[in-house]
Amino acid sequence: SDLKSTIKNSLKKIGQEILLKMPHARIRIEGHTDDQPIGISKFKSNWELSGARAAAVASDLEQLGFKESQLTAVGFASSRPVAPNRYPN
């Protein structure tokens, strides 16, 4: 759920552009995971991990100057993976 510095830099550039051109925009941040059960003790489930990912992005956007009322963070867990993470034997 921790954002890498390269992602933070990109998010900052995009966020600043949105604030400049659409200062009152409402932004929905969606967190996702792959389709494998989680194996990290920090999070009990993919639901918690996906929600934490979305919340981390929302927090960074808030630090850029977005208001809480402009941001929505949603976690989808493994319900909408981009691709399956299962490999054939």
Side-chain angles (χ1 to χ4, degrees), residues 10-81:
S10 296
L11 185 60
K12 183 176 181 179
K13 289 178 187 177
I14 292 167
Q16 288 172 335
E17 191 70 20
I18 293 170
L19 278 173
L20 180 66
K21 294 185 177 181
M22 299 179 292
H24 304 291
R26 294 186 181 265
I27 300 173
R28 177 183 165 117
I29 302 112
E30 298 181 355
H32 298 271
T33 66
D34 60 22
D35 61 354
Q36 294 297 302
I38 194 157
I40 308 170
S41 61
K42 182 177 178 182
F43 300 101
K44 295 178 186 175
S45 69
N46 281 325
W47 287 109
E48 289 183 13
L49 175 57
S50 66
R53 287 175 172 169
V57 171
S59 179
D60 276 22
L61 289 175
E62 192 175 8
Q63 290 176 21
L64 287 176
F66 287 92
K67 296 175 185 166
E68 273 187 2
S69 61
Q70 291 178 266
L71 305 171
T72 302
V74 179
F76 285 107
S78 61
S79 67
R80 298 181 185 182

